[in-house]
Amino acid sequence: MVSAENGSVLAVERDGRWYQWAPPQEAPARGSWSALDVLAAGERIQADGMLQPARLLPPILPPRNVICLGKNYRAHAEEFATYAGEAEKLPEAPIVFTKPAAALCGAHDVVTVDRQVTSALDYEVELGVVIGAGGAHIAAEDAERHIAGYTIVNDVTARDLQRRHAQWFLGKSLYRATPTGPVIVSAGEFTDLAGRSIRSWVNDELRQDSKLGEMIFGVAETIAEISRIFPLEPGDLIAMGTPSGVGVGFDPPRYLNHGDRVVCEIDGIGRLDNLIHFA
Ligand code: MG
């Protein structure tokens, strides 16, 4: 989804160029379409549909809270345990929490944060899984056909709020502070996850550098575990947890400052590139 001259439109990116998406002609008239329709119907680019997006919006707005995994990379679980003063322990089941969809912002948006609210802002590059077909009790072997595509989520976190409120929800929920995008790559185009790199930089300094294969709980396993408890819905977004190298993992911690630039990248999806603004 991009914001262009004629309002918000669904767009397809190819080789760095953006094109307006056209609904299938045989489709009945409908008020609105979503990225899920684009992924289901394929690339139907409008004639003369080239766009100059004014702003990239989050490529999908999930129907409810974003579902997030904590401590899903071994080295990150270890660095977080050190910070939290806990014994180092790898999770035996996925640690699942949520953040509201209102926390999401676009791939190039300025992330504006109230300096009265937090002084311990941190970055977390993560793989985002977009659910296509919903379902309950999805077996891990069947999980793949429930995935519409993949995106990048920077699970921006206020560590002081995360600690102060004990539950992680508020520290993860800063309004419009979780960059997501820049696109959703369809599941069929995004295979061989394990070898793909996942990285982040702060002001051009490489901070996180791992592979998707380093996740403790894989995507299929996670979908099975969550859908055992409640049905997943089309458009649900699951953020799969972050590798080591976040600000809180340093001693002393290296939190984000006003004017910092955070870049998050997953091989085959693209980049989030956001400036941090403390107001
Ligand atoms: Mg996270």
Side-chain angles (χ1 to χ4, degrees):
M1 182 78 86
V2 303
S3 171
E5 258 172 42
N6 43 347
S8 299
V9 297
L10 285 164
V12 173
E13 187 262 352
R14 272 292 162 247
D15 302 323
R17 291 184 174 170
W18 292 88
Y19 301 88
Q20 187 161 352
W21 180 77
Q25 279 169 351
E26 65 276 16
R30 260 170 60 174
S32 65
W33 302 87
S34 82
L36 291 184
D37 299 305
V38 178
L39 291 162
E43 293 178 28
R44 292 165 182 270
I45 293 166
Q46 280 188 4
D48 301 323
M50 213 197 286
L51 290 170
Q52 203 71 277
R55 181 185 161 219
L56 301 185
L57 304 174
I60 191 149
L61 278 183
R64 50 192 182 177
N65 283 7
V66 181
I67 301 163
C68 306
L69 264 64
K71 306 185 197 173
N72 198 28
Y73 288 75
R74 183 180 301 263
H76 173 65
E78 288 165 1
E79 71 181 353
F80 194 84
T82 305
Y83 153 75
E86 298 162 354
E88 283 180 20
K89 197 170 82 182
L90 294 181
E92 287 164 14
I95 295 173
V96 182
F97 62 94
T98 70
K99 61 164 68 198
L104 300 182
C105 67
H108 301 153
D109 286 355
V110 174
V111 172
T112 301
V113 175
D114 183 345
R115 64 176 79 240
Q116 308 295 324
V117 165
T118 179
S119 56
L121 194 70
D122 210 345
Y123 50 90
E124 298 190 348
V125 60
E126 309 197 2
L127 176 69
V129 179
V130 179
I131 297 297
H137 299 281
I138 298 167
E141 309 85 80
D142 295 333
E144 206 165 304
R145 64 186 180 83
H146 292 266
I147 302 169
Y150 298 91
T151 189
I152 309 171
V153 177
N154 181 359
D155 176 22
V156 167
T157 303
R159 298 292 178 205
D160 39 6
L161 297 182
Q162 187 180 26
R163 186 159 231 186
R164 178 171 166 216
H165 294 279
Q167 296 290 318
W168 293 6
F169 185 68
L170 290 180
K172 296 284 186 177
S173 297
L174 297 176
Y175 185 54
R176 291 184 179 169
T178 295
T180 302
V183 294
I184 299 169
V185 176
S186 67
E189 290 176 287
F190 195 79
T191 51
D192 305 322
L193 265 67
R196 292 179 183 270
S197 60
I198 174 168
R199 296 187 283 188
S200 75
W201 293 259
V202 177
N203 302 328
D204 296 326
E205 180 188 331
L206 184 63
R207 293 285 183 90
Q208 296 180 274
D209 186 6
S210 188
K211 299 271 195 232
L212 296 180
E214 295 296 311
M215 289 189 285
I216 298 171
F217 301 102
V219 174
E221 203 178 348
T222 299
I223 287 174
E225 188 74 28
I226 294 170
S227 69
R228 209 160 65 86
I229 317 294
F230 64 91
L232 287 169
E233 288 183 20
D236 270 337
L237 176 60
I238 305 174
M240 289 296 302
T242 201
S244 63
V246 296
V248 80
F250 291 87
D251 185 17
R254 299 176 72 183
Y255 297 126
L256 295 170
N257 294 305
H258 179 76
D260 281 350
R261 176 183 172 206
V262 184
V263 171
C264 295
E265 182 184 82
I266 294 178
D267 173 30
I269 303 178
R271 282 184 156 205
L272 308 172
D273 188 340
N274 301 86
L275 287 175
I276 304 298
H277 180 87
F278 278 92

